């Protein structure tokens, strides 16, 4: 429960440490919140670190509306060894010493910007025939994985590092695998490679600058101010239009009654498109997400009590 006695509803921007799975972070925060409903809005590999947004309470209902199209990472690609997991935790599958210089690496990076097809790794949480690919991989089963369209908005070589490695900054679409980028970069320059380190610096509207470590969350819990770190539900919905519930329609909104579009008129200064979601505000708070259907408003997600 919140400090005001109402159920918790919002987002916690957590700085996930390396060595913990996203599920373990969720479990840790759930215990801090005395069993409140908590889920993660986009997983991170156990050895990766960085921004992991957590949905608390009814905020989990907003997952499908969240602005999660863009993510940003800093990664270190290490040349000389490729692994079955495409990161430093896997078994070596190839080795070589054709180390790329900075010029060769910069030239190769140009091939991995824009929109292209990427084949996800076998060691991933994607499912085939009801089973996770990493489960099949650990059982020695190989599957043909169809490539998926991904977009890299920006790819920058930050520095050449030692031994035989490079620091990259990536801004990309969701469903993009940075460790696969590192693996494919090795193929592009003729030297096996894997991802040595990964830090997610952005996930949608959540950034590294506003993320909290688990230690900071624990200190806040001990001081009974953990709720103060909870971001409101609208923090993930700034990209959606908004509308105030007109006077006299509050009861209809709460009870699922008739909501005529003409009473809402414009949303954020523009007409709402048919079928597009928008935020509904009532009593100074976000109460739900609705859609326009013809001459009516249909409430799709209710956040009120």
């Amino acid at each position: 429960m919140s400090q005001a006695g109402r159920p918790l509803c919002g987002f916690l921007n957590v700085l996930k440490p390396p060595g913990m799975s996203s599920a373990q972070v969720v479990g840790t925060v759930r215990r801090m919140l005395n069993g409140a409903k908590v889920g993660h809005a986009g997983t991170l590999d156990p050895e990766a670190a960085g921004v992991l947004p957590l949905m608390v309470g009814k905020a989990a209902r907003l997952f499908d509306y969240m602005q999660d199209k863009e993510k940003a990472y800093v990664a270190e690609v290490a040349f000389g060894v490729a692994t079955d997991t495409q990161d430093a935790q896997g078994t070596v599958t190839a080795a070589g010493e054709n180390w790329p210089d900075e010029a060769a690496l910069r030239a190769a990076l140009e091939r991995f910007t824009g929109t292209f097809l990427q084949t996800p790794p076998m060691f991933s949480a994607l499912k085939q025939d009801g089973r996770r690919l990493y489960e099949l991989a650990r059982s020695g089963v190989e599957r043909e994985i169809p490539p998926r369209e991904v977009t890299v908005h920006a790819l920058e070589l930050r520095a050449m590092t030692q031994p035989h490695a490079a620091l990259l900054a990536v801004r990309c679409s969701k469903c993009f695998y940075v460790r696969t980028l590192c693996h494919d970069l090795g193929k592009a320059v003729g030297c096996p490679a894997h991802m040595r380190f990964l830090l997610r610096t952005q996930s949608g509207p959540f950034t590294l600058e506003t993320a909290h470590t688990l230690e900071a969350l624990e200190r806040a819990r001990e001081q009974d101010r953990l709720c103060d770190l909870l971001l409101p539900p609208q923090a993930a919905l700034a990209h959606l239009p908004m509308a105030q519930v007109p006077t006299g329609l509050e009861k209809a909104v709460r009870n699922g009654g008739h909501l005529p579009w003409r009473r809402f008129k414009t949303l954020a200064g523009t007409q709402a498109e048919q079928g597009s979601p928008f935020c509904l505000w009532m009593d100074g708070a976000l109460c739900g997400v609705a859609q326009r259907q013809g001459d009516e408003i249909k409430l799709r997600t209710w956040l009120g009590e």
Side-chain angles (χ1 to χ4, degrees):
M1 299 292 285
S2 69
Q3 292 166 329
R6 287 181 289 184
L8 295 171
C9 180
F11 295 89
L12 274 177
N13 185 11
V14 177
L15 179 59
K16 189 188 91 64
M20 286 186 75
S21 70
S22 299
Q24 288 173 324
V25 173
V26 166
T28 298
V29 173
R30 184 182 294 124
R31 287 190 291 274
M32 291 182 189
L33 294 173
N34 299 317
K37 183 177 180 180
V38 180
H40 58 73
T43 187
L44 263 178
D45 288 343
E47 295 308 316
V51 172
L52 182 67
L54 299 186
M55 306 172 292
V56 179
K58 291 182 180 180
R61 301 177 181 180
L62 301 175
F63 181 79
D64 291 338
Y65 306 109
M66 290 176 61
Q67 188 178 26
D68 65 343
K69 295 181 180 179
E70 189 170 299
K71 302 182 188 298
Y73 301 87
V74 172
E76 187 177 39
V77 52
F79 296 96
V81 166
T83 71
D84 56 356
T85 59
Q86 301 180 348
D87 60 18
Q89 311 307 311
T91 301
V92 174
T93 59
E97 297 182 358
N98 185 31
W99 323 115
D101 59 18
E102 183 174 339
L105 186 53
R106 288 190 182 279
L109 289 177
E110 294 180 2
R111 310 181 202 177
F112 296 95
T113 57
T115 299
F116 55 92
L117 294 177
Q118 183 189 64
T119 301
M122 268 298 296
F123 282 87
S124 66
L126 298 176
K127 284 187 176 181
Q128 275 198 8
D129 300 327
R131 294 187 64 188
R132 302 286 186 186
L133 287 180
Y134 65 76
E135 295 175 346
L136 297 173
R138 289 169 182 167
S139 302
V141 177
E142 286 288 336
R143 289 289 175 88
E144 184 174 343
I145 308 172
R148 301 189 298 180
E149 187 176 274
V150 295
T151 300
V152 173
H153 305 289
L155 180 55
E156 176 189 354
L157 174 61
R158 288 279 180 87
M160 300 298 289
T161 57
Q162 295 297 327
H164 309 297
L167 200 63
L168 308 175
V170 187
R171 195 161 50 82
C172 56
S173 64
K174 62 180 181 179
C175 301
F176 183 80
Y177 285 89
V178 180
R179 53 193 164 101
T180 298
L181 167 67
C182 295
H183 176 83
D184 292 347
L185 267 175
K187 289 185 175 181
V189 299
C191 184
H194 67 276
M195 185 182 73
R196 180 182 289 162
F197 167 81
L198 181 67
L199 173 69
R200 183 157 70 187
T201 59
Q202 177 187 348
S203 179
F206 303 97
T207 64
L208 196 62
E209 290 74 19
T210 58
H212 304 282
T213 65
L214 291 175
E215 291 78 11
L217 293 179
E218 178 60 26
R219 288 193 299 270
R221 185 196 67 79
E222 292 171 352
Q223 298 167 7
D224 198 26
R225 59 178 188 84
L226 184 53
C227 295
D228 295 341
L229 304 184
L230 199 68
L231 299 171
Q234 59 267 27
L237 303 178
H239 59 294
L240 296 181
M242 61 159 284
Q244 295 285 344
V245 174
T247 302
L249 286 183
E250 294 88 352
K251 185 176 181 179
V253 169
R254 290 190 177 94
N255 298 333
H258 177 62
L259 302 173
W261 163 246
R262 59 181 174 78
R263 294 288 305 277
F264 287 79
K265 297 182 180 179
T266 60
L267 303 174
T270 61
Q271 290 286 335
E273 296 180 5
Q274 289 279 1
S276 296
F278 62 89
C279 297
L280 270 184
W281 286 71
M282 184 167 60
D283 299 329
L286 179 68
C287 66
V289 178
Q291 289 178 321
R292 178 188 175 189
Q293 289 191 353
D295 295 329
E296 291 192 5
I297 295 296
K298 297 294 185 181
L299 188 65
R300 295 307 183 196
T301 300
W302 174 245
L303 300 177
E305 298 181 41

